Amino acid sequence: MKIRLGIPKGSLQEATLQLFARAGLPILTNGRSYFATTGDPEVDCMLIRAQEMARYVEHGVLDAGLTGLDWVVESGLEVVTVSDLIYAKQNRGKVRWVLAVPEDSSYQRAEDLGNRIIATELVNVTRKYFESKSVAVQVEFSWGATEVKPPMLADAIVEVTETGSSLRANHLRIIDTVLESNTQIIANKKAWCDSSKRRKIENLALMLRGAMDAQTRVGLMLNVRKQDLAAVLAVLPALKKPTISTLSDEDWVAVNTVIEESTAWQVIPRLKEANGQGIVEYPLNKVVL
């Protein structure tokens, strides 16, 4: 049994390849080929643009693929959403499709754009957005460089952004959010009904989520006298409950837990103050919740 998996080619490609490597399944690509290999003989990969992923998954060319919620909604196709994976090109977070206008324009809200030209790659979603507000506009497909089109080629744009820096650099300001999006694993309905393929896809999603959840966490272990254990436990913001193990010296125990990496700076000195000893912080590959 094999599954055919779509990897997003383009802006999400590098972040996706890094995620798979952290999950323990490196994907080897060739710059001249749209096919990729993995260390798992049951997984075949193809590099497909995120905009087209839902189409090939829905048609059954691919059993599963990674793409954005935005392109699934835009396609209007029926696929199974297996899991959300909150990462983007630059960071771990959602992206936004925003309605933006020139900085010096008088437009303040979507309703001010009646009978105006809106340029975007996300045509269907944009049309539905304006229809929901009963605003008649002309939505034109943009083949790229959408930020440079206002005011000469369009009155406003609907464009994706993570930080807004590109919009600001092109003297545009955001007046509304049209859609929030994040990466998803999607599956073909027929493949999802195949128990062996479904198990493989679910396991893949489990490992990818585990790799993502490990990114912002670290392991922490230390030794402490039993008489000081309560003070140490009061400091620890444990993922669940710390693991406590007895040592050869019956007066001491070992404490092992997982914490957010961002909290380690404050937690470790407090553990030392609580008489924790031999404190070790270590990186994690995967955290399966």
Side-chain angles (χ1 to χ4, degrees):
M1 182 279 302
K2 282 193 174 187
I3 64 167
R4 297 183 301 276
L5 179 67
I7 303 297
K9 184 174 178 63
S11 61
L12 274 178
Q13 181 176 333
E14 188 56 35
T16 301
L17 295 180
Q18 290 176 7
L19 176 60
F20 271 80
R22 290 195 302 271
L25 186 65
I27 297 173
L28 305 178
T29 61
N30 182 327
R32 293 168 293 183
S33 174
Y34 280 80
F35 295 92
T37 59
T38 75
D40 189 334
E42 295 182 345
V43 180
D44 287 337
C45 292
M46 283 187 68
L47 297 175
I48 300 290
R49 289 192 64 81
Q51 294 91 326
E52 301 178 288
M53 192 71 72
R55 181 198 315 165
Y56 294 118
V57 170
E58 197 266 355
H59 291 175
V61 177
L62 300 170
D63 295 307
L66 283 78
T67 189
L69 168 65
D70 44 6
W71 299 116
V72 175
V73 175
E74 175 72 5
S75 73
L77 298 171
E78 294 187 9
V79 293
V80 177
T81 301
V82 178
S83 180
D84 286 310
L85 299 173
I86 312 297
Y87 73 94
K89 179 172 63 175
Q90 298 179 28
N91 54 50
R92 285 195 66 188
K94 293 188 176 185
V95 298
R96 294 187 298 151
W97 284 87
V98 297
L99 178 61
V101 297
E103 285 178 345
D104 58 359
S105 73
S106 62
Y107 308 125
Q108 299 297 324
R109 56 195 188 120
E111 288 79 359
D112 297 335
L113 291 163
N115 300 314
R116 302 298 182 181
I117 295 174
I118 315 297
T120 185
E121 286 186 77
L122 207 68
V123 172
N124 293 328
V125 170
T126 299
R127 283 181 178 149
K128 290 178 181 177
Y129 166 81
F130 280 99
E131 287 171 1
S132 71
K133 295 179 175 294
S134 301
V135 178
V137 295
Q138 181 180 337
V139 180
E140 294 185 349
F141 179 76
S142 173
W143 293 93
T146 307
E147 297 99 326
V148 305
K149 295 189 173 178
M152 294 182 62
L153 303 177
D155 298 290
I157 64 171
V158 171
E159 178 66 332
V160 67
T161 184
E162 286 188 53
T163 65
S165 59
S166 180
L167 295 172
R168 290 190 295 272
N170 286 280
H171 306 292
L172 299 172
R173 57 181 168 84
I174 297 170
I175 61 174
D176 199 8
T177 296
V178 174
L179 178 70
E180 280 195 342
S181 180
N182 57 267
T183 308
Q184 294 185 328
I185 303 176
I186 59 173
N188 171 269
K189 285 188 171 182
K190 184 176 179 181
W192 194 244
C193 291
D194 181 314
S195 60
S196 58
K197 287 188 175 183
R198 178 168 179 164
R199 186 179 305 110
K200 189 71 178 181
I201 295 168
E202 287 180 327
N203 288 343
L204 177 67
L206 176 72
M207 297 299 280
L208 292 175
R209 288 196 305 270
M212 290 188 62
D213 288 335
Q215 274 187 276
T216 59
R217 296 184 171 104
V218 293
L220 203 63
M221 58 184 180
L222 66 146
N223 296 333
V224 63
R225 291 183 183 275
K226 287 182 179 178
Q227 65 190 40
D228 297 317
L229 179 59
V232 163
L233 294 180
V235 172
L236 290 174
L239 183 62
K240 290 289 187 182
K241 291 290 184 180
T243 299
I244 301 172
S245 307
T246 57
L247 298 177
S248 56
D249 185 334
E250 62 181 19
D251 292 330
W252 289 76
V253 294
V255 179
N256 203 327
T257 191
V258 174
I259 65 172
E260 294 291 334
E261 185 175 19
S262 60
T263 67
W265 179 259
Q266 290 83 26
V267 168
I268 291 177
R270 292 177 62 198
L271 289 173
K272 188 66 177 174
E273 290 173 359
N275 295 324
Q277 296 187 20
I279 303 169
V280 177
E281 176 188 330
Y282 55 93
L284 303 170
N285 289 328
K286 283 174 279 294
V287 174
V288 179
L289 300 174

